[in-house]
Structures are given as C-alpha cells and as structure tokens.
Amino acid sequence: GYFHQRVTQCRYSSKDLQGIEFIDSYVFNQAEYIRFNSTVGKFVGYTEHGVKNAEAWNKGPELAGELGELERYCKFNAPIYYSA
C-alpha cells in the first residue's frame, strides 16, 4: 500500500509574534516531497514530482492560501500555545 500524509505545524521561537514560522509538508511513503515555509514564502520541492508541483503551486492560488495560514492559524492560536 501507499502512505500519504500532510503535516502542518507552527514553530514558535519567541513570544514575539514576528518569531512564528508556518510549515506545511507533504509526505509520500515517509519521504517529504514538497514543503511550504512561511519564512521562505513559497513551496519548495524535494523530489522530481515535488519540484514540478512547487513550480505550479507557486504560480497558482495554492500559494495565496498558504501565505494566509501564518496569520489565520499560527498567530491566532499563539495565545493558547504561550499559555500552556
């Protein structure tokens, strides 16, 4: 069988909201093939398939959706993270 996984995470390096990083990784059979990193600001491919997807997604609506996730998801939930 095949295994596909999508992992999203917020990395908090300080209590300053500027120190937050959003990462969205796509994994197939335990190998990450594409990643969006809010610090880089675009998708990066790690396999032949991932590079092709990254090129297409960086030109399409997928990029705009990912760019908004840092504000919508990470910064919105930061008070919960810092209170724990």
Side-chain angles (χ1 to χ4, degrees), residues 10-40:
C10 299
R11 294 186 180 167
Y12 300 93
S13 60
S14 69
K15 289 197 175 196
D16 179 11
L17 291 181
Q18 301 303 319
I20 300 174
E21 180 179 42
F22 174 73
I23 298 176
D24 190 3
S25 300
Y26 295 78
V27 179
F28 183 73
N29 283 350
Q30 299 182 351
E32 182 178 26
Y33 65 95
I34 191 168
R35 173 188 288 184
F36 173 82
N37 183 320
S38 64
T39 304
V40 177

Side-chain angles (χ1 to χ4, degrees), residues 5-78:
Q5 177 179 353
R6 182 177 177 189
V7 179
T8 57
Q9 58 183 310
C10 299
R11 294 186 180 167
Y12 300 93
S13 60
S14 69
K15 289 197 175 196
D16 179 11
L17 291 181
Q18 301 303 319
I20 300 174
E21 180 179 42
F22 174 73
I23 298 176
D24 190 3
S25 300
Y26 295 78
V27 179
F28 183 73
N29 283 350
Q30 299 182 351
E32 182 178 26
Y33 65 95
I34 191 168
R35 173 188 288 184
F36 173 82
N37 183 320
S38 64
T39 304
V40 177
K42 65 179 184 176
F43 288 96
V44 177
Y46 298 106
T47 64
E48 183 179 348
H49 177 70
V51 169
K52 289 180 182 180
N53 279 326
E55 289 173 1
W57 293 358
N58 285 329
K59 296 176 185 173
E62 295 85 359
L63 182 61
E66 292 287 346
L67 290 170
E69 290 300 297
L70 178 67
E71 293 290 330
R72 187 193 71 78
Y73 181 66
C74 294
K75 290 186 179 180
F76 179 79
N77 289 307

